[in-house]
Amino acid sequence: HWADLALIIATINWGFSYIFIKNAIVVLETFNLLGIRFLLSALGLALIFHKRLKNLDKVTRNGGILVGILLFSAYATHTFGLKYTTISKSAFITGFAAIIVPILSALLFKKIPSFSTIIGVIIAFIGITLLTLNGETGWNIGDSLTLISAFFFAFQILMVGYYARKVDTINFTIVQISVIGILSIFASFLFESPQIPVGKDIWISLVFLILICTIMGFIIQNVAQKYTSPTHASLIFSSEPFFASIFAYLLMGEALHPKGILGGFLIVLGILAAEFNFHFDISKFKKNPCIQQPQNQDNPSQ
């Protein structure tokens, strides 16, 4: 399906973004970076589509604000959680969103995922475990904060799926990323010492993050989720750590262990399993046609 392919492209971009984020975070603190990235992205879109913004309606505005708050909350709890837990545990717990989305979708919207999708989610989650978890044990406050962030990410995916067919995609994206940028700048002034970056290298990273990962990535997500389910989207997004590992290996020389390769393979296998859309029909076993059913003795015509 073209929508799933588009989401894979967006996920590859986000996996690639880890390298640029790692370069930028040396110069800028977390919320400072998020604020600049999202505010400049929103400004760029607003300048290009300023005529379209005149038609901003209430549903698009309110939906964009809600999704923006959810995504900022996910970034915030994830960032603070990283202070108290390891990167591998953080990636593993964040990947738990792939499990949360179909559960919440069933509870909130009464949409039960297909059998193939459930199998795909299970396979992908095993892959996430192998890719990210390196034997760390125990549970701490950082893990709890990261789990909360996974719920925020899951709700964000669900809400994008809910609003995608009801709103103007461009205006929805502008509102969404504007909210993230404004809240990030506020958090930066509250918890950090914000600054305007100086230097060619940092701006190369920022331009890539703004154009490819934010503007292009979020527009792709908001458009593509009109044509696929939130569960499918979360399953595809679960491959982000795998793509990040591949790019880190190719471009930065980071080690890629056999267990991680197997984990990445299982994530891709899980996505493919969901795409096949096979199903298990239990009704076939309720009545076996090979067994002669007893006739109704009270009706001789039968």
Side-chain angles (χ1 to χ4, degrees):
H1 196 285
W2 74 264
D4 292 344
L5 178 60
L7 289 175
I8 290 173
I9 293 172
T11 306
I12 291 173
N13 288 340
W14 290 332
F16 197 23
S17 74
Y18 280 57
I19 295 172
F20 292 93
I21 290 173
K22 188 170 184 178
N23 292 334
I25 213 70
V26 174
V27 179
L28 299 171
E29 294 180 274
T30 300
F31 288 117
N32 193 177
L33 171 61
L34 290 174
I36 293 173
R37 170 185 170 182
F38 284 101
L39 279 182
L40 290 182
S41 298
L43 179 60
L45 279 174
L47 289 174
I48 296 171
F49 298 102
H50 62 278
K51 293 182 179 179
R52 200 163 183 160
L53 278 172
K54 296 177 181 177
N55 300 320
L56 179 64
D57 60 87
K58 184 178 180 180
V59 174
T60 301
R61 183 195 66 214
N62 292 345
I65 291 173
L66 173 60
V67 172
I69 291 173
L70 286 172
L71 197 50
F72 167 77
S73 301
Y75 283 134
T77 49
H78 186 267
T79 300
F80 283 112
L82 265 174
K83 290 186 176 182
Y84 305 102
T85 190
T86 63
I87 292 176
S88 58
K89 285 177 73 178
S90 176
F92 167 73
I93 297 169
T94 303
F96 195 65
I99 298 290
I100 299 172
V101 168
I103 295 173
L104 291 179
S105 183
L107 292 175
L108 298 177
F109 302 117
K110 311 300 181 185
K111 293 182 179 179
I112 307 299
S114 65
F115 180 71
S116 61
T117 300
I118 294 173
I119 294 299
V121 167
I122 293 172
I123 294 172
F125 189 67
I126 294 172
I128 292 170
T129 305
L130 291 173
L131 180 66
T132 60
L133 206 57
N134 296 317
E136 294 95 336
T137 57
W139 191 268
N140 57 42
I141 184 64
D143 300 325
S144 298
L145 288 169
T146 307
L147 181 60
I148 293 171
S149 80
F151 273 93
F152 280 127
F153 279 123
F155 273 113
Q156 183 259 344
I157 293 169
L158 284 172
M159 289 300 100
V160 169
Y162 175 78
Y163 282 106
R165 297 176 178 85
K166 303 180 179 183
V167 300
D168 180 286
T169 301
I170 299 297
N171 286 342
F172 183 72
T173 303
I174 293 172
V175 174
Q176 176 186 348
I177 63 180
S178 295
V179 170
I180 300 170
I182 292 169
L183 292 177
S184 296
I185 288 295
F186 178 78
S188 182
F189 276 100
L190 195 62
F191 300 109
E192 302 170 347
S193 300
Q195 59 177 304
I196 298 175
V198 177
K200 184 180 70 174
D201 291 341
I202 181 67
W203 278 106
I204 289 174
S205 296
L206 285 172
V207 167
F208 180 89
L209 290 171
I210 290 167
L211 295 179
I212 306 300
C213 301
T214 307
I215 293 177
M216 180 179 170
F218 279 88
I219 288 178
I220 287 175
Q221 181 189 3
N222 293 337
V223 171
Q225 278 201 239
K226 292 182 181 181
Y227 306 99
T228 192
S229 70
T231 299
H232 259 85
S234 68
L235 184 57
I236 292 170
F237 295 154
S238 71
S239 63
E240 183 179 321
F242 172 62
F243 289 122
S245 299
I246 293 294
F247 287 124
Y249 169 74
L250 294 175
L251 301 177
M252 303 183 71
E254 292 190 5
L256 192 61
H257 300 290
K259 188 175 70 171
I261 295 173
L262 176 60
F265 171 77
L266 289 176
I267 292 172
V268 174
L269 182 63
I271 295 171
L272 292 175
E275 292 300 319
F276 278 113
N277 199 29
F278 58 88
H279 67 280
F280 178 77
D281 191 355
I282 196 172
S283 64
K284 294 179 180 179
F285 295 88
K286 291 182 178 180
K287 183 177 180 180
N288 191 334
C290 298
I291 300 176
Q292 181 68 38
Q293 300 295 320
Q295 293 185 340
N296 189 337
Q297 302 298 325
D298 294 332
N299 191 346
S301 66
Q302 291 188 344

PDB file of all heavy atoms in Angstrom, residues 28-61:
ATOM      1  N   LEU A  28      23.461  22.484  21.466  1.00  0.00           N
ATOM      2  CA  LEU A  28      22.196  22.954  22.027  1.00  0.00           C
ATOM      3  C   LEU A  28      21.631  21.959  23.027  1.00  0.00           C
ATOM      4  O   LEU A  28      21.765  20.741  22.840  1.00  0.00           O
ATOM      5  CB  LEU A  28      21.173  23.172  20.910  1.00  0.00           C
ATOM      6  CG  LEU A  28      21.519  24.210  19.838  1.00  0.00           C
ATOM      7  CD1 LEU A  28      20.502  24.140  18.705  1.00  0.00           C
ATOM      8  CD2 LEU A  28      21.552  25.605  20.437  1.00  0.00           C
ATOM      9  N   GLU A  29      20.974  22.472  24.071  1.00  0.00           N
ATOM     10  CA  GLU A  29      20.264  21.598  24.991  1.00  0.00           C
ATOM     11  C   GLU A  29      18.976  21.119  24.333  1.00  0.00           C
ATOM     12  O   GLU A  29      18.522  21.657  23.323  1.00  0.00           O
ATOM     13  CB  GLU A  29      19.985  22.346  26.293  1.00  0.00           C
ATOM     14  CG  GLU A  29      21.262  22.690  27.065  1.00  0.00           C
ATOM     15  CD  GLU A  29      20.974  23.432  28.361  1.00  0.00           C
ATOM     16  OE1 GLU A  29      20.853  24.671  28.325  1.00  0.00           O
ATOM     17  OE2 GLU A  29      20.871  22.762  29.404  1.00  0.00           O
ATOM     18  N   THR A  30      18.373  20.094  24.920  1.00  0.00           N
ATOM     19  CA  THR A  30      17.295  19.357  24.261  1.00  0.00           C
ATOM     20  C   THR A  30      16.121  20.238  23.848  1.00  0.00           C
ATOM     21  O   THR A  30      15.723  20.275  22.679  1.00  0.00           O
ATOM     22  CB  THR A  30      16.789  18.239  25.185  1.00  0.00           C
ATOM     23  OG1 THR A  30      17.867  17.354  25.475  1.00  0.00           O
ATOM     24  CG2 THR A  30      15.673  17.456  24.503  1.00  0.00           C
ATOM     25  N   PHE A  31      15.527  20.953  24.809  1.00  0.00           N
ATOM     26  CA  PHE A  31      14.348  21.755  24.487  1.00  0.00           C
ATOM     27  C   PHE A  31      14.706  22.963  23.624  1.00  0.00           C
ATOM     28  O   PHE A  31      13.890  23.417  22.822  1.00  0.00           O
ATOM     29  CB  PHE A  31      13.638  22.198  25.769  1.00  0.00           C
ATOM     30  CG  PHE A  31      12.924  21.068  26.473  1.00  0.00           C
ATOM     31  CD1 PHE A  31      13.305  20.677  27.748  1.00  0.00           C
ATOM     32  CD2 PHE A  31      11.885  20.401  25.859  1.00  0.00           C
ATOM     33  CE1 PHE A  31      12.662  19.641  28.392  1.00  0.00           C
ATOM     34  CE2 PHE A  31      11.232  19.357  26.496  1.00  0.00           C
ATOM     35  CZ  PHE A  31      11.619  18.978  27.763  1.00  0.00           C
ATOM     36  N   ASN A  32      15.912  23.475  23.791  1.00  0.00           N
ATOM     37  CA  ASN A  32      16.403  24.549  22.929  1.00  0.00           C
ATOM     38  C   ASN A  32      16.414  24.073  21.473  1.00  0.00           C
ATOM     39  O   ASN A  32      15.954  24.775  20.553  1.00  0.00           O
ATOM     40  CB  ASN A  32      17.792  24.951  23.390  1.00  0.00           C
ATOM     41  CG  ASN A  32      18.292  26.258  22.784  1.00  0.00           C
ATOM     42  OD1 ASN A  32      19.375  26.736  23.106  1.00  0.00           O
ATOM     43  ND2 ASN A  32      17.527  26.868  21.878  1.00  0.00           N
ATOM     44  N   LEU A  33      16.936  22.853  21.249  1.00  0.00           N
ATOM     45  CA  LEU A  33      16.977  22.271  19.917  1.00  0.00           C
ATOM     46  C   LEU A  33      15.567  22.038  19.377  1.00  0.00           C
ATOM     47  O   LEU A  33      15.263  22.384  18.227  1.00  0.00           O
ATOM     48  CB  LEU A  33      17.757  20.957  19.949  1.00  0.00           C
ATOM     49  CG  LEU A  33      17.729  20.104  18.671  1.00  0.00           C
ATOM     50  CD1 LEU A  33      18.326  20.874  17.500  1.00  0.00           C
ATOM     51  CD2 LEU A  33      18.473  18.794  18.891  1.00  0.00           C
ATOM     52  N   LEU A  34      14.690  21.458  20.199  1.00  0.00           N
ATOM     53  CA  LEU A  34      13.322  21.191  19.757  1.00  0.00           C
ATOM     54  C   LEU A  34      12.592  22.484  19.410  1.00  0.00           C
ATOM     55  O   LEU A  34      11.860  22.549  18.411  1.00  0.00           O
ATOM     56  CB  LEU A  34      12.558  20.429  20.844  1.00  0.00           C
ATOM     57  CG  LEU A  34      12.964  18.976  21.098  1.00  0.00           C
ATOM     58  CD1 LEU A  34      12.207  18.424  22.294  1.00  0.00           C
ATOM     59  CD2 LEU A  34      12.704  18.121  19.868  1.00  0.00           C
ATOM     60  N   GLY A  35      12.779  23.514  20.242  1.00  0.00           N
ATOM     61  CA  GLY A  35      12.112  24.784  19.997  1.00  0.00           C
ATOM     62  C   GLY A  35      12.518  25.390  18.666  1.00  0.00           C
ATOM     63  O   GLY A  35      11.665  25.811  17.875  1.00  0.00           O
ATOM     64  N   ILE A  36      13.829  25.447  18.402  1.00  0.00           N
ATOM     65  CA  ILE A  36      14.318  26.011  17.140  1.00  0.00           C
ATOM     66  C   ILE A  36      13.849  25.164  15.965  1.00  0.00           C
ATOM     67  O   ILE A  36      13.355  25.680  14.956  1.00  0.00           O
ATOM     68  CB  ILE A  36      15.853  26.113  17.156  1.00  0.00           C
ATOM     69  CG1 ILE A  36      16.303  27.149  18.200  1.00  0.00           C
ATOM     70  CG2 ILE A  36      16.391  26.470  15.780  1.00  0.00           C
ATOM     71  CD1 ILE A  36      17.797  27.194  18.410  1.00  0.00           C
ATOM     72  N   ARG A  37      13.982  23.849  16.095  1.00  0.00           N
ATOM     73  CA  ARG A  37      13.595  22.940  15.003  1.00  0.00           C
ATOM     74  C   ARG A  37      12.119  23.106  14.628  1.00  0.00           C
ATOM     75  O   ARG A  37      11.783  23.272  13.441  1.00  0.00           O
ATOM     76  CB  ARG A  37      13.878  21.497  15.434  1.00  0.00           C
ATOM     77  CG  ARG A  37      13.319  20.442  14.501  1.00  0.00           C
ATOM     78  CD  ARG A  37      13.539  19.044  15.072  1.00  0.00           C
ATOM     79  NE  ARG A  37      12.822  18.039  14.320  1.00  0.00           N
ATOM     80  CZ  ARG A  37      12.813  16.737  14.631  1.00  0.00           C
ATOM     81  NH1 ARG A  37      13.505  16.300  15.672  1.00  0.00           N
ATOM     82  NH2 ARG A  37      12.115  15.878  13.908  1.00  0.00           N
ATOM     83  N   PHE A  38      11.233  23.087  15.606  1.00  0.00           N
ATOM     84  CA  PHE A  38       9.805  23.093  15.299  1.00  0.00           C
ATOM     85  C   PHE A  38       9.276  24.495  14.986  1.00  0.00           C
ATOM     86  O   PHE A  38       8.396  24.642  14.128  1.00  0.00           O
ATOM     87  CB  PHE A  38       9.023  22.441  16.441  1.00  0.00           C
ATOM     88  CG  PHE A  38       9.125  20.944  16.448  1.00  0.00           C
ATOM     89  CD1 PHE A  38       9.981  20.290  17.321  1.00  0.00           C
ATOM     90  CD2 PHE A  38       8.390  20.174  15.570  1.00  0.00           C
ATOM     91  CE1 PHE A  38      10.098  18.911  17.320  1.00  0.00           C
ATOM     92  CE2 PHE A  38       8.485  18.795  15.556  1.00  0.00           C
ATOM     93  CZ  PHE A  38       9.348  18.162  16.434  1.00  0.00           C
ATOM     94  N   LEU A  39       9.789  25.515  15.650  1.00  0.00           N
ATOM     95  CA  LEU A  39       9.324  26.868  15.345  1.00  0.00           C
ATOM     96  C   LEU A  39       9.738  27.295  13.936  1.00  0.00           C
ATOM     97  O   LEU A  39       8.938  27.885  13.197  1.00  0.00           O
ATOM     98  CB  LEU A  39       9.851  27.866  16.379  1.00  0.00           C
ATOM     99  CG  LEU A  39       9.090  27.942  17.702  1.00  0.00           C
ATOM    100  CD1 LEU A  39       9.694  29.017  18.598  1.00  0.00           C
ATOM    101  CD2 LEU A  39       7.604  28.242  17.473  1.00  0.00           C
ATOM    102  N   LEU A  40      10.976  27.008  13.545  1.00  0.00           N
ATOM    103  CA  LEU A  40      11.418  27.354  12.198  1.00  0.00           C
ATOM    104  C   LEU A  40      10.674  26.527  11.142  1.00  0.00           C
ATOM    105  O   LEU A  40      10.387  27.021  10.050  1.00  0.00           O
ATOM    106  CB  LEU A  40      12.925  27.159  12.060  1.00  0.00           C
ATOM    107  CG  LEU A  40      13.808  28.160  12.823  1.00  0.00           C
ATOM    108  CD1 LEU A  40      15.287  27.888  12.561  1.00  0.00           C
ATOM    109  CD2 LEU A  40      13.461  29.602  12.444  1.00  0.00           C
ATOM    110  N   SER A  41      10.365  25.286  11.474  1.00  0.00           N
ATOM    111  CA  SER A  41       9.576  24.459  10.554  1.00  0.00           C
ATOM    112  C   SER A  41       8.184  25.046  10.364  1.00  0.00           C
ATOM    113  O   SER A  41       7.676  25.140   9.236  1.00  0.00           O
ATOM    114  CB  SER A  41       9.468  23.026  11.098  1.00  0.00           C
ATOM    115  OG  SER A  41      10.735  22.417  11.205  1.00  0.00           O
ATOM    116  N   ALA A  42       7.554  25.434  11.478  1.00  0.00           N
ATOM    117  CA  ALA A  42       6.217  26.029  11.407  1.00  0.00           C
ATOM    118  C   ALA A  42       6.245  27.348  10.642  1.00  0.00           C
ATOM    119  O   ALA A  42       5.351  27.631   9.831  1.00  0.00           O
ATOM    120  CB  ALA A  42       5.667  26.244  12.814  1.00  0.00           C
ATOM    121  N   LEU A  43       7.273  28.157  10.882  1.00  0.00           N
ATOM    122  CA  LEU A  43       7.405  29.436  10.191  1.00  0.00           C
ATOM    123  C   LEU A  43       7.576  29.227   8.684  1.00  0.00           C
ATOM    124  O   LEU A  43       6.945  29.929   7.874  1.00  0.00           O
ATOM    125  CB  LEU A  43       8.598  30.212  10.754  1.00  0.00           C
ATOM    126  CG  LEU A  43       8.886  31.588  10.117  1.00  0.00           C
ATOM    127  CD1 LEU A  43       7.692  32.515  10.299  1.00  0.00           C
ATOM    128  CD2 LEU A  43      10.150  32.212  10.723  1.00  0.00           C
ATOM    129  N   GLY A  44       8.406  28.264   8.307  1.00  0.00           N
ATOM    130  CA  GLY A  44       8.612  27.972   6.895  1.00  0.00           C
ATOM    131  C   GLY A  44       7.324  27.540   6.213  1.00  0.00           C
ATOM    132  O   GLY A  44       6.984  28.023   5.119  1.00  0.00           O
ATOM    133  N   LEU A  45       6.582  26.644   6.849  1.00  0.00           N
ATOM    134  CA  LEU A  45       5.308  26.198   6.278  1.00  0.00           C
ATOM    135  C   LEU A  45       4.298  27.334   6.212  1.00  0.00           C
ATOM    136  O   LEU A  45       3.544  27.458   5.231  1.00  0.00           O
ATOM    137  CB  LEU A  45       4.738  25.046   7.111  1.00  0.00           C
ATOM    138  CG  LEU A  45       5.317  23.649   6.845  1.00  0.00           C
ATOM    139  CD1 LEU A  45       4.766  22.649   7.842  1.00  0.00           C
ATOM    140  CD2 LEU A  45       5.007  23.199   5.428  1.00  0.00           C
ATOM    141  N   ALA A  46       4.249  28.166   7.260  1.00  0.00           N
ATOM    142  CA  ALA A  46       3.299  29.280   7.294  1.00  0.00           C
ATOM    143  C   ALA A  46       3.585  30.283   6.182  1.00  0.00           C
ATOM    144  O   ALA A  46       2.651  30.837   5.579  1.00  0.00           O
ATOM    145  CB  ALA A  46       3.344  29.964   8.658  1.00  0.00           C
ATOM    146  N   LEU A  47       4.865  30.538   5.882  1.00  0.00           N
ATOM    147  CA  LEU A  47       5.219  31.464   4.810  1.00  0.00           C
ATOM    148  C   LEU A  47       4.826  30.911   3.443  1.00  0.00           C
ATOM    149  O   LEU A  47       4.349  31.642   2.571  1.00  0.00           O
ATOM    150  CB  LEU A  47       6.725  31.756   4.850  1.00  0.00           C
ATOM    151  CG  LEU A  47       7.219  32.613   6.022  1.00  0.00           C
ATOM    152  CD1 LEU A  47       8.742  32.697   6.008  1.00  0.00           C
ATOM    153  CD2 LEU A  47       6.605  34.007   5.973  1.00  0.00           C
ATOM    154  N   ILE A  48       5.013  29.610   3.258  1.00  0.00           N
ATOM    155  CA  ILE A  48       4.692  28.980   1.969  1.00  0.00           C
ATOM    156  C   ILE A  48       3.179  28.883   1.769  1.00  0.00           C
ATOM    157  O   ILE A  48       2.661  29.140   0.674  1.00  0.00           O
ATOM    158  CB  ILE A  48       5.329  27.582   1.878  1.00  0.00           C
ATOM    159  CG1 ILE A  48       6.863  27.692   1.915  1.00  0.00           C
ATOM    160  CG2 ILE A  48       4.885  26.861   0.606  1.00  0.00           C
ATOM    161  CD1 ILE A  48       7.565  26.356   2.050  1.00  0.00           C
ATOM    162  N   PHE A  49       2.466  28.533   2.836  1.00  0.00           N
ATOM    163  CA  PHE A  49       1.025  28.270   2.734  1.00  0.00           C
ATOM    164  C   PHE A  49       0.191  29.317   3.477  1.00  0.00           C
ATOM    165  O   PHE A  49      -0.862  28.987   4.036  1.00  0.00           O
ATOM    166  CB  PHE A  49       0.713  26.869   3.276  1.00  0.00           C
ATOM    167  CG  PHE A  49       1.376  25.752   2.522  1.00  0.00           C
ATOM    168  CD1 PHE A  49       2.509  25.131   3.033  1.00  0.00           C
ATOM    169  CD2 PHE A  49       0.876  25.320   1.300  1.00  0.00           C
ATOM    170  CE1 PHE A  49       3.122  24.093   2.345  1.00  0.00           C
ATOM    171  CE2 PHE A  49       1.485  24.285   0.603  1.00  0.00           C
ATOM    172  CZ  PHE A  49       2.606  23.676   1.119  1.00  0.00           C
ATOM    173  N   HIS A  50       0.641  30.582   3.485  1.00  0.00           N
ATOM    174  CA  HIS A  50      -0.065  31.614   4.250  1.00  0.00           C
ATOM    175  C   HIS A  50      -1.493  31.829   3.749  1.00  0.00           C
ATOM    176  O   HIS A  50      -2.396  32.122   4.546  1.00  0.00           O
ATOM    177  CB  HIS A  50       0.712  32.933   4.214  1.00  0.00           C
ATOM    178  CG  HIS A  50       0.878  33.505   2.842  1.00  0.00           C
ATOM    179  ND1 HIS A  50       1.861  33.071   1.972  1.00  0.00           N
ATOM    180  CD2 HIS A  50       0.180  34.470   2.181  1.00  0.00           C
ATOM    181  CE1 HIS A  50       1.764  33.751   0.839  1.00  0.00           C
ATOM    182  NE2 HIS A  50       0.753  34.601   0.935  1.00  0.00           N
ATOM    183  N   LYS A  51      -1.734  31.655   2.459  1.00  0.00           N
ATOM    184  CA  LYS A  51      -3.097  31.820   1.936  1.00  0.00           C
ATOM    185  C   LYS A  51      -4.011  30.707   2.438  1.00  0.00           C
ATOM    186  O   LYS A  51      -5.195  30.923   2.672  1.00  0.00           O
ATOM    187  CB  LYS A  51      -3.068  31.841   0.412  1.00  0.00           C
ATOM    188  CG  LYS A  51      -2.377  33.059  -0.185  1.00  0.00           C
ATOM    189  CD  LYS A  51      -2.432  33.027  -1.704  1.00  0.00           C
ATOM    190  CE  LYS A  51      -1.757  34.269  -2.291  1.00  0.00           C
ATOM    191  NZ  LYS A  51      -1.781  34.252  -3.785  1.00  0.00           N
ATOM    192  N   ARG A  52      -3.419  29.531   2.577  1.00  0.00           N
ATOM    193  CA  ARG A  52      -4.201  28.381   3.051  1.00  0.00           C
ATOM    194  C   ARG A  52      -4.609  28.542   4.515  1.00  0.00           C
ATOM    195  O   ARG A  52      -5.665  28.067   4.934  1.00  0.00           O
ATOM    196  CB  ARG A  52      -3.349  27.121   2.873  1.00  0.00           C
ATOM    197  CG  ARG A  52      -4.119  25.828   2.853  1.00  0.00           C
ATOM    198  CD  ARG A  52      -3.233  24.749   2.263  1.00  0.00           C
ATOM    199  NE  ARG A  52      -3.909  23.490   2.148  1.00  0.00           N
ATOM    200  CZ  ARG A  52      -3.512  22.518   1.330  1.00  0.00           C
ATOM    201  NH1 ARG A  52      -2.456  22.714   0.561  1.00  0.00           N
ATOM    202  NH2 ARG A  52      -4.165  21.378   1.286  1.00  0.00           N
ATOM    203  N   LEU A  53      -3.767  29.210   5.282  1.00  0.00           N
ATOM    204  CA  LEU A  53      -4.047  29.404   6.704  1.00  0.00           C
ATOM    205  C   LEU A  53      -5.310  30.224   6.942  1.00  0.00           C
ATOM    206  O   LEU A  53      -5.906  30.159   8.023  1.00  0.00           O
ATOM    207  CB  LEU A  53      -2.856  30.074   7.395  1.00  0.00           C
ATOM    208  CG  LEU A  53      -1.702  29.158   7.812  1.00  0.00           C
ATOM    209  CD1 LEU A  53      -0.523  29.979   8.300  1.00  0.00           C
ATOM    210  CD2 LEU A  53      -2.165  28.185   8.894  1.00  0.00           C
ATOM    211  N   LYS A  54      -5.718  31.010   5.940  1.00  0.00           N
ATOM    212  CA  LYS A  54      -6.944  31.808   6.079  1.00  0.00           C
ATOM    213  C   LYS A  54      -8.173  30.914   6.230  1.00  0.00           C
ATOM    214  O   LYS A  54      -9.196  31.354   6.750  1.00  0.00           O
ATOM    215  CB  LYS A  54      -7.107  32.730   4.863  1.00  0.00           C
ATOM    216  CG  LYS A  54      -6.008  33.773   4.717  1.00  0.00           C
ATOM    217  CD  LYS A  54      -6.207  34.598   3.455  1.00  0.00           C
ATOM    218  CE  LYS A  54      -5.084  35.622   3.293  1.00  0.00           C
ATOM    219  NZ  LYS A  54      -5.223  36.408   2.025  1.00  0.00           N
ATOM    220  N   ASN A  55      -8.050  29.674   5.767  1.00  0.00           N
ATOM    221  CA  ASN A  55      -9.175  28.732   5.838  1.00  0.00           C
ATOM    222  C   ASN A  55      -9.065  27.781   7.035  1.00  0.00           C
ATOM    223  O   ASN A  55      -9.716  26.736   7.050  1.00  0.00           O
ATOM    224  CB  ASN A  55      -9.247  27.918   4.543  1.00  0.00           C
ATOM    225  CG  ASN A  55      -9.452  28.784   3.319  1.00  0.00           C
ATOM    226  OD1 ASN A  55     -10.222  29.747   3.350  1.00  0.00           O
ATOM    227  ND2 ASN A  55      -8.758  28.465   2.226  1.00  0.00           N
ATOM    228  N   LEU A  56      -8.223  28.143   7.996  1.00  0.00           N
ATOM    229  CA  LEU A  56      -8.064  27.296   9.188  1.00  0.00           C
ATOM    230  C   LEU A  56      -9.382  27.219   9.948  1.00  0.00           C
ATOM    231  O   LEU A  56      -9.917  28.229  10.398  1.00  0.00           O
ATOM    232  CB  LEU A  56      -6.972  27.873  10.092  1.00  0.00           C
ATOM    233  CG  LEU A  56      -6.688  27.126  11.401  1.00  0.00           C
ATOM    234  CD1 LEU A  56      -6.153  25.731  11.117  1.00  0.00           C
ATOM    235  CD2 LEU A  56      -5.695  27.919  12.259  1.00  0.00           C
ATOM    236  N   ASP A  57      -9.903  26.023  10.091  1.00  0.00           N
ATOM    237  CA  ASP A  57     -11.189  25.845  10.776  1.00  0.00           C
ATOM    238  C   ASP A  57     -10.977  25.348  12.199  1.00  0.00           C
ATOM    239  O   ASP A  57      -9.860  24.990  12.600  1.00  0.00           O
ATOM    240  CB  ASP A  57     -12.081  24.867   9.997  1.00  0.00           C
ATOM    241  CG  ASP A  57     -11.437  23.494   9.853  1.00  0.00           C
ATOM    242  OD1 ASP A  57     -11.607  22.662  10.763  1.00  0.00           O
ATOM    243  OD2 ASP A  57     -10.738  23.266   8.847  1.00  0.00           O
ATOM    244  N   LYS A  58     -12.065  25.308  12.947  1.00  0.00           N
ATOM    245  CA  LYS A  58     -12.003  24.985  14.373  1.00  0.00           C
ATOM    246  C   LYS A  58     -11.513  23.555  14.609  1.00  0.00           C
ATOM    247  O   LYS A  58     -10.702  23.307  15.509  1.00  0.00           O
ATOM    248  CB  LYS A  58     -13.384  25.184  15.014  1.00  0.00           C
ATOM    249  CG  LYS A  58     -13.412  24.973  16.508  1.00  0.00           C
ATOM    250  CD  LYS A  58     -14.803  25.248  17.071  1.00  0.00           C
ATOM    251  CE  LYS A  58     -14.841  25.032  18.578  1.00  0.00           C
ATOM    252  NZ  LYS A  58     -16.197  25.292  19.131  1.00  0.00           N
ATOM    253  N   VAL A  59     -11.990  22.608  13.806  1.00  0.00           N
ATOM    254  CA  VAL A  59     -11.605  21.200  13.995  1.00  0.00           C
ATOM    255  C   VAL A  59     -10.109  21.024  13.756  1.00  0.00           C
ATOM    256  O   VAL A  59      -9.417  20.355  14.530  1.00  0.00           O
ATOM    257  CB  VAL A  59     -12.411  20.287  13.048  1.00  0.00           C
ATOM    258  CG1 VAL A  59     -11.914  18.846  13.139  1.00  0.00           C
ATOM    259  CG2 VAL A  59     -13.897  20.347  13.381  1.00  0.00           C
ATOM    260  N   THR A  60      -9.600  21.632  12.680  1.00  0.00           N
ATOM    261  CA  THR A  60      -8.177  21.539  12.368  1.00  0.00           C
ATOM    262  C   THR A  60      -7.339  22.183  13.464  1.00  0.00           C
ATOM    263  O   THR A  60      -6.312  21.633  13.892  1.00  0.00           O
ATOM    264  CB  THR A  60      -7.880  22.212  11.022  1.00  0.00           C
ATOM    265  OG1 THR A  60      -8.645  21.575  10.000  1.00  0.00           O
ATOM    266  CG2 THR A  60      -6.400  22.103  10.670  1.00  0.00           C
ATOM    267  N   ARG A  61      -7.767  23.361  13.923  1.00  0.00           N
ATOM    268  CA  ARG A  61      -7.021  24.079  14.962  1.00  0.00           C
ATOM    269  C   ARG A  61      -6.987  23.276  16.258  1.00  0.00           C
ATOM    270  O   ARG A  61      -5.920  23.064  16.836  1.00  0.00           O
ATOM    271  CB  ARG A  61      -7.667  25.443  15.210  1.00  0.00           C
ATOM    272  CG  ARG A  61      -6.930  26.312  16.239  1.00  0.00           C
ATOM    273  CD  ARG A  61      -7.807  27.457  16.686  1.00  0.00           C
ATOM    274  NE  ARG A  61      -8.970  26.976  17.426  1.00  0.00           N
ATOM    275  CZ  ARG A  61     -10.177  27.552  17.380  1.00  0.00           C
ATOM    276  NH1 ARG A  61     -10.404  28.589  16.597  1.00  0.00           N
ATOM    277  NH2 ARG A  61     -11.170  27.058  18.098  1.00  0.00           N
TER     278      ARG A  61
END
